[in-house]
Amino acid sequence: MSIACIDQGTSSTRCLVVEDGGVWRQVASLQHQEHYPALNWVEHDAEELLGNIKTVLAAAGRVDGIAIANQGESCLAWDALTGQPLSPVVVWKDSRTSAHLASMPQDAHSLSRNVCGLPLDPYFSASKLAWLLGTLPAVARAFEAGTLRLGTTDAFFLDRLTGNFVTDLTTASRTGLLDLQTGHWSNALCSLHGVPMQCLPRIASAGEPLGAINGVPVLASVVDQQAALFGHGCRHPGACKITFGTGAFLLAIAGSERPIAQDLLPTIAWVEREDGLTYAIEGGVYDAGAALDWAHQIGLYSTVQDLDTFDGPSALSRGLVFVPALSGLAAPHWDRHAAPLFIGMSHSTNRRDMIRAVLEGIALLTATLVKRADLLVPLGDTISIDGGLSQSTYFAQFLASACGKTIVVPATHEMTSIGLAELCGVNVTQARASGRRFAPHDPVSAAHHELFETAIAHARDWPR
């Protein structure tokens, strides 16, 4: 059995063909443009994303099935009759609705937490969809004509590629509009945000056929982070993975009951015919790879090899700290107004010190998530990581020391695609063989963690 696994991410669209036994080959990878039309706005072109999916899928050749991972919270509006986008894709890290959400009464915040488990944050789709309907004339006209469709990118892709206007539970759980208890769209939350429920996609049941593309069945459609969780082999409560892409996302299995996640997020990991629904807890860092991209653009480093080894003690132990809040702070702070900053710089600070502090800042924010998750669902002694930053030996070792866990970096870093294939029934045992392990040593002291927390407090006080 061979599956074309399409990972439609924030910065690129990749396709791997995965076969039984876990043998895989990357057949295509395409970058797409990211647009910043205003401060804190982040957009993609929906047709460009769709075109890239078609291109990488064509490169896969003959396969038995197709699986697609999506960005999660990124969303748009389109016309039911023509299929044409009526808006850009508003990306998950876009925060244009932050002021509106901050102005909502406390009972609205409580309602959101109680029903869908999510805070009122622009990270999620609900306020973005409401903004599109309330701001763009073309969207309002389509609503009046009865032809408006609103949804996350997966629903758009499936609608255009298969003619099936549908989403899955994992993606629906990221919108801020799902009743997490019933698995259906919430009347109360749709009313709260002003999102017409009749314009949202149907939520598919477990194992339901999702349609076909050129006669090849689409066997799975799921959020990229949940696919990666499955790919890492996390199945039991406390099993945890962290993916370092544009952002960094920790997911840990919580079990079959909805977790009380407090300042982290309850989310649906996946739904299987035999075992039913599995919940996870999630925490995120908005800027991981994005912080490194910024550091590269301003000349702090030249090649990825510059991120692997450093001489002497850590930047943190020398009092140099960076808070990577270029898009604000996600869990557990939920502060879009926090600003990125360096503290502890001196005349002797150089580029190597600064890029080292960037790596350590990402790791320290991630370690905060690990410690919070450990209080909610006791985690195992090891955490599996993937993504670009996982390839940095220095970063992986510092993360192990910062969170007090052994960090495992699998030999294969395309865990989203591996998870997609496994969700389709492919045996991926060989592909999931462990690679490198980093045991904690020279643990980051409580005083140094406190120094970083002080830096976060300054970042939250600093005007953007």
Side-chain angles (χ1 to χ4, degrees), residues 312-363:
S314 68
L316 179 66
S317 67
R318 292 180 283 121
L320 178 61
V321 179
F322 177 67
V323 179
L326 287 88
S327 303
L329 293 169
H333 308 287
W334 298 109
D335 186 351
R336 284 288 191 157
H337 298 291
L341 58 83
F342 283 96
I343 64 169
M345 297 177 70
S346 69
H347 288 294
S348 64
T349 303
N350 58 36
R351 288 187 300 173
R352 293 291 290 162
D353 297 327
M354 294 173 72
I355 189 56
R356 191 174 188 175
V358 171
L359 290 172
E360 293 174 9
I362 298 167

Side-chain angles (χ1 to χ4, degrees), residues 232-452:
H232 279 281
C234 298
R235 299 291 186 274
H236 305 292
C240 179
K241 73 87 194 175
I242 309 169
T243 297
F244 293 94
T246 300
F249 297 96
L250 175 151
L251 271 79
I253 299 295
S256 59
E257 300 293 329
R258 173 182 169 174
I260 305 301
Q262 301 170 356
D263 47 10
L264 298 186
L265 304 175
T267 192
I268 293 174
W270 48 73
V271 185
E272 297 180 280
R273 282 181 181 174
E274 298 82 7
D275 300 327
L277 191 148
T278 298
Y279 287 97
I281 54 172
E282 180 196 335
V285 176
Y286 288 137
D287 297 293
L292 285 183
D293 289 343
W294 167 81
H296 183 268
Q297 289 166 12
I298 67 171
L300 294 186
Y301 75 100
S302 300
T303 68
V304 293
Q305 286 72 32
D306 295 336
L307 308 177
D308 211 35
T309 56
F310 296 88
D311 297 324
S314 68
L316 179 66
S317 67
R318 292 180 283 121
L320 178 61
V321 179
F322 177 67
V323 179
L326 287 88
S327 303
L329 293 169
H333 308 287
W334 298 109
D335 186 351
R336 284 288 191 157
H337 298 291
L341 58 83
F342 283 96
I343 64 169
M345 297 177 70
S346 69
H347 288 294
S348 64
T349 303
N350 58 36
R351 288 187 300 173
R352 293 291 290 162
D353 297 327
M354 294 173 72
I355 189 56
R356 191 174 188 175
V358 171
L359 290 172
E360 293 174 9
I362 298 167
L364 288 164
L365 276 184
T366 306
T368 299
L369 300 177
V370 171
K371 293 179 186 302
R372 297 296 180 105
D374 221 351
L375 295 174
L376 298 170
V377 179
L379 305 181
D381 294 331
T382 64
I383 294 176
S384 187
I385 71 172
D386 69 299
L389 267 169
S390 69
Q391 304 308 301
S392 165
T393 298
Y394 182 80
F395 177 82
Q397 184 60 68
F398 188 89
L399 178 62
S401 298
C403 66
K405 303 282 187 181
T406 296
I407 298 299
V408 177
V409 183
T412 300
H413 64 274
E414 293 283 1
M415 302 311 292
T416 296
S417 292
I418 296 301
L420 283 174
E422 193 167 17
L423 284 166
C424 295
V426 174
N427 179 354
V428 301
T429 305
Q430 178 181 334
R432 201 158 51 216
S434 294
R436 299 174 294 162
R437 299 174 70 88
F438 298 86
H441 66 70
D442 297 329
V444 175
S445 69
H448 287 142
H449 276 294
E450 185 175 343
L451 174 61
F452 187 68

